[in-house]
Amino acid sequence: MEPETDASVWTGVTDVVGQVWDAATTSVAPPEPAVVLAMGAVASSIVLVTPVWHVARHVVTIAHEGAHALAALLTGRQLSGIRLHSDTSGLTVSAGRPRGFGMILTAFMGYVGPGLVGLGAAALLRQGYAVGLLWLLVLLLGLVLLQIRNWFGLWSVLVSGAALVGVSWWAPPDVQSAVAYAVTWFLLLGAVRPVLELQVQRSRGLGSSSDADILARLTHLPGLLWVGVFLVVTLGAAALGAWWIVGPAT
């Protein structure tokens, strides 16, 4: 490749990065309250309507497994990879001590992860960074993509990331803002249903390898207690996040 071509490519890349950075770091006015509530209603419908939920749940699984991976890295465990499956289940594999704080935190973070991500998203929206939130989610998906170890997981993350890039780059500002609110609502509300589904599976004797039961073996505390903790955290994140979204600015 000729030097002039190299220079033009580099200039184009830096221009794109600059535009993304400017858009991500510029505060924008929130949408009308009716739009915010409408996006909440849309997210609620997605969570409550089972056929739609079975598709949308893949997004929650990505956040769930990403939270496992982050906790593993933060506690010094060696991350081996993430697998996402078509039945909306997932698996994050890490190596390290089989017991102790690192393993406990890694097991704990999965079910609470989507709600905590939603809470962070609500905090960004409260500060006016709707577009910045979309690009941050693209970045997080890119980091998850580096750890994906199966084809379905690769497809799932790429589709999610492509959708966010399309909205962040080409959609008009009002659409970008509405999507950012819809995604945030979905993460907050969608974090709760998997916890309830988990306990239903456990009541049928199908949850022996669930995060709650892993935590029970690690801590000698009942799995039901851990399900209760998951529920308290996700409900708390949903309530606080909703307040940050619809409550008066301070």
Side-chain angles (χ1 to χ4, degrees):
M1 185 178 289
E2 296 296 329
E4 293 81 0
T5 305
D6 288 339
S8 63
V9 170
W10 177 248
T11 300
V13 170
T14 55
D15 286 345
V16 170
V17 172
Q19 291 179 52
V20 170
W21 178 257
D22 289 342
T25 56
T26 301
S27 178
V28 296
E32 294 295 325
V35 174
V36 174
L37 294 177
M39 293 303 99
V42 170
S44 299
S45 299
I46 293 172
V47 173
L48 294 174
V49 178
T50 297
V52 181
W53 167 247
H54 284 164
V55 176
R57 195 184 193 282
H58 290 291
V59 174
V60 177
T61 302
I62 293 172
H64 178 118
E65 300 303 330
H68 278 316
L70 178 61
L73 291 173
L74 291 178
T75 55
R77 298 180 62 80
Q78 183 178 354
L79 186 60
S80 300
I82 298 172
R83 301 178 70 87
L84 305 172
H85 305 131
S86 59
D87 63 356
T88 73
S89 65
L91 177 67
T92 299
V93 179
S94 63
R97 291 182 58 195
R99 306 190 71 86
F101 175 75
M103 188 63 194
I104 292 172
L105 184 64
T106 299
F108 175 75
M109 284 301 295
Y111 277 96
V112 303
L116 295 179
V117 173
L119 187 60
L124 287 175
L125 292 180
R126 192 169 178 82
Q127 299 301 317
Y129 294 109
V131 180
L133 168 61
L134 295 177
W135 283 115
L136 179 59
L137 292 175
V138 170
L139 175 61
L140 293 177
L141 285 173
L143 295 176
V144 170
L145 185 65
L146 297 176
Q147 296 297 328
I148 294 295
R149 296 295 183 267
N150 68 324
W151 285 110
F152 184 84
L154 180 68
W155 175 86
S156 183
V157 175
L158 283 176
V159 168
S160 301
L164 286 176
V165 169
V167 172
S168 304
W169 187 257
W170 285 291
D174 55 340
V175 174
Q176 292 174 339
S177 185
V179 170
Y181 275 85
V183 170
T184 301
W185 277 117
F186 176 72
L187 288 169
L188 291 170
L189 301 175
V192 179
R193 180 163 176 172
V195 179
L196 301 176
E197 293 173 341
L198 168 63
Q199 185 52 34
V200 171
Q201 291 178 338
R202 294 183 73 253
S203 68
R204 296 172 179 172
L206 302 176
S208 60
S209 61
S210 72
D211 293 348
D213 292 278
I214 291 172
L215 285 165
R217 291 192 288 271
L218 290 171
T219 63
H220 304 293
L221 297 172
L224 182 60
L225 173 65
W226 285 109
V227 175
V229 174
F230 295 158
L231 189 59
V232 168
V233 173
T234 53
L235 285 173
L240 181 57
W243 170 249
W244 283 351
I245 291 174
V246 302
T250 56

